Amino acid sequence: MDIRGSKKIISWMVTLVLVPGVLLIYLPGMSGDQGIGPNRNVLSPAYLAPMIHLGDGGVKSIFQETGTTTDAGNGISWNFFQEISDSLRQSRISTLPNRRSYVQDLVTVLQEGNRVQVAFLSIQNFKGEFNDRGAQLDELAKRYPLDKVSVAGHEFGDWGIQAMADLLPQFLVKELAKQGSWGTGVSVYNDAKSYWVVFQNAPDDFKPADLFRGIFAATSEFKQAVVDRVKRLASEKIDNTPEIKNDETKKNALKQALNEFSVRNFNIYGGISESFSLAQTDLGLDAVSAAHRLDSQALLSAKHAQLYISGEYLNARVNQYLREERGGKFRLELNGEKARELQQEIGRDISAAVKAPRTGFREYSRNLGRYIAFIKQFCPRGEWDSIYRPITVDYHEGVNDKQLLQAYQDAAASGDPAALTLAQENIFKQIIGYSLEPDIQARAKGMIFFGNDRFKDTINYLIEHQPAYDWSGTFRIGGDEIGKVVWNARTRMVWVFRFDINNLGKINGQLGVRLGDKIIDEMIRLLDEIQEPQHYMAYIYNYFRNTNESGNNLRDNPITMAKEDYDYVASRLTEQGENVSDYLQERGGTYQIIQFPPVTVRSVNEETGEVAREYRSGAAISAGVVAIDANIINEQKAQGLDVARDYSGMANGRADGAAEKVKADMKDFQLHNNGAVSAEILTALNSTMWAAPYQGKTITSLPATTLSGIRNMLAEFIVTKAKQQAGINGETIFNFNPETFRSKRESTNLLEQAI
């Protein structure tokens, strides 16, 4: 269920201000006389998005929609303008604003002199309680072993994220009213399973931890409402899944399994920063540094809350160790047998804590950092590194979404087509673009795109419009997944590549998320530039091992790293008996990685839990490819068939499946060959060779697609404008010959080379 298109949903950063007897809701930067109150019910046209009012009638827009010519200037409808603003500022899963908005808004409210406090919330054991549960329901829905029936899958997790996003603002208002925290501004943001809450100008006796404990209590109304919504959506999906809708036995079994999901399975851990104002401190911080400080405090406190969530055992062991320290000091080096035993015990506690079905919150305190420094010794690095880049890296001065949207509105009102085009393109660049790490971006030759929606829409756009020039684009899809689309104008073939980054969890866990992100970005940069597809996997593998030809290795293009990361990886390499200088270097205060430090991969016996085998693996990717033959589609179009279909869904899925097959083959080979990778695997693209539908009935069985509105405009911009700036259009990117690719039915490994 996609609720993002609903016009009755909060879709912008909304600030709720409680005044006795009146509920005011306003956007940042709005002066007091522009709010909604007894005498104010119209938003000034100068503001950028519909005002939202939470009243007895639910959520409704103050702007009345009147079709496609609502007063936004130059015939631009408010509906379309809202689509643009949502694409820029809205979470990709829920209807709340995204982390990008959070970063910009947090800096802004600090610049304005507000007193600010930040809370970070995350769903505890999200993968186990939501995504894995959805996968289990899919498995139960199968009628035979090789069947593929989707009744929940990752949608189960999406439903939970969406439900929490919809309900949390309402319950925050209720709890604020209970506390009597009149005049407190609160803004809520979402990205994946994480949420940020920004409080502004709360009273001195404000207790945010009590606020959250009230909302997320074990048997709270909020938790029950979220669980009920997820179960209702899953039940509706079960009833309407074609493969099982008439199988009452199967449906009853699925619903019985679904009923096992309860409030016990839905838990939150969170951390709360100190209250801070630039006007009330002599620390000499600017707004960006202050925002980073608050964000870091909230994230660190949340991790502390999660590790102590299962309570007494971890606390007791830590306190026992600390009491035995001379003078109660925190010793950060552990030696001897007793220390090793304690490490193992605390390590086991931490493993249990991150999956424990409990809720917990911590407020930041000065002493918290010392406890955390101690616990870090027992925790995999990935447990402590935030998956989000620091605000000091994420925030870009001069790139403010609200200013971009204001410029767009001004251009629309001016009636100047050139100004409107420029303002629109400036927004589009922010929507479609993926920002590589700064030192890697400096070496990139073209724009990298972001998002699975953009990836799939570009595939469909290329098939529909078939440009006269060759085109290639690379996409960061998310997690360990990268995509690339290639259009060959001569052969009229669209090639869809999917890449998986092998062992990303191990890289993040053992080297840290920050360093893992840089390695991912370097892979993306390389994949965007490599011209020969048969070399994708081998080039990446050898690049990080420094075995390519001179100039095409990591040693020739070292990645910068923070000193903290350098020290951590250096200590890990020393423990493993490695020569640190083979992998890392320090030059004039700059810390760099010059060869990928191998990560340890273990194969665990599922029955005993014991490690069966282990090996050390270098950096590697797995690739899959499918081809769509537009010539066949054109022939069927000429016969009058409706060919406006979603070709990207099937192609994307099959390419991803092919990459997964390569990954499984590679891991199996490494497991039995001490981490080595065969040349055969590295030079093979696993191809399903889906050369588009060959029969009319096959085309009509695909979902219909109409790339309309903002999605079509973004796909057009990607293909016709974004890559021209990098000098790629007009060049011959690839010259694939379809005859060199065999059908999956004939061969799963593609050993032929593209000519």
Side-chain angles (χ1 to χ4, degrees), residues 742-754:
R742 293 197 293 268
S743 164
K744 185 178 181 182
R745 289 185 292 273
E746 299 171 10
S747 171
T748 57
N749 285 324
L750 173 67
L751 299 177
E752 323 291 359
Q753 292 189 352

Side-chain angles (χ1 to χ4, degrees), residues 122-126 267-269 306 309 353-356 358:
S122 191
I123 300 175
Q124 168 79 337
N125 192 21
F126 177 78
N267 291 283
I268 305 294
Y269 67 92
Q306 186 189 34
I309 215 166
V354 298
K355 295 182 179 179
R358 298 190 186 182

Side-chain angles (χ1 to χ4, degrees), residues 403-527:
Q403 292 172 357
L404 290 171
L405 289 164
Q406 181 69 68
Y408 180 85
Q409 187 179 8
D410 291 345
S414 73
D416 182 349
L420 183 62
T421 298
L422 178 61
Q424 182 170 283
E425 290 186 357
N426 287 337
I427 293 175
F428 283 5
K429 289 175 190 175
Q430 299 302 316
I431 295 174
I432 66 173
Y434 172 72
S435 296
L436 300 168
E437 291 280 346
D439 56 322
I440 298 171
Q441 183 69 56
R443 299 198 297 268
K445 295 180 180 178
M447 179 179 280
I448 306 298
F449 307 112
F450 181 75
N452 197 33
D453 288 346
R454 304 285 87 80
F455 181 59
K456 294 194 290 187
D457 288 348
T458 300
I459 294 169
N460 286 331
Y461 182 90
L462 286 167
I463 292 171
E464 180 178 350
H465 295 278
Q466 301 176 26
Y469 47 81
D470 295 335
W471 189 89
S472 170
T474 305
F475 296 75
R476 174 74 194 272
I477 292 175
D480 63 353
E481 298 175 332
I482 303 167
K484 186 164 185 171
V485 187
V486 176
W487 162 252
N488 186 295
R490 182 181 62 82
T491 61
R492 312 205 82 68
M493 301 287 287
V494 176
W495 297 88
V496 179
F497 294 87
R498 284 291 297 265
F499 307 99
D500 284 351
I501 301 168
N502 295 10
N503 301 314
L504 180 59
K506 301 292 188 300
I507 293 172
N508 287 341
Q510 296 175 33
L511 302 181
V513 176
R514 292 286 296 126
L515 191 53
D517 278 348
K518 292 207 165 199
I519 290 167
I520 292 170
D521 281 1
E522 185 71 341
M523 288 181 174
I524 292 172
R525 181 186 73 82
L526 294 170
L527 288 169

Side-chain angles (χ1 to χ4, degrees), residues 380-413:
R381 184 59 186 267
E383 283 294 339
W384 284 101
D385 279 356
S386 168
I387 63 172
Y388 302 101
R389 293 176 180 173
I391 284 182
T392 48
V393 175
D394 250 357
Y395 182 80
H396 301 287
E397 193 68 42
V399 181
N400 184 289
D401 293 346
K402 292 172 188 174
Q403 292 172 357
L404 290 171
L405 289 164
Q406 181 69 68
Y408 180 85
Q409 187 179 8
D410 291 345

Side-chain angles (χ1 to χ4, degrees), residues 455-467 471 485-488 492-496 626-637 643-652 690-693 699 702 705 707 715 719:
F455 181 59
K456 294 194 290 187
D457 288 348
T458 300
I459 294 169
N460 286 331
Y461 182 90
L462 286 167
I463 292 171
E464 180 178 350
H465 295 278
Q466 301 176 26
W471 189 89
V485 187
V486 176
W487 162 252
N488 186 295
R492 312 205 82 68
M493 301 287 287
V494 176
W495 297 88
V496 179
V626 297
I628 306 174
D629 189 347
N631 295 294
I632 298 171
I633 297 171
N634 293 343
E635 292 172 4
Q636 297 183 348
K637 186 176 182 179
V643 294
R645 300 287 162 176
D646 180 15
Y647 302 99
S648 69
M650 186 180 292
N652 195 18
W690 181 59
I699 275 192
L702 293 174
T705 184
L707 275 178
V719 172

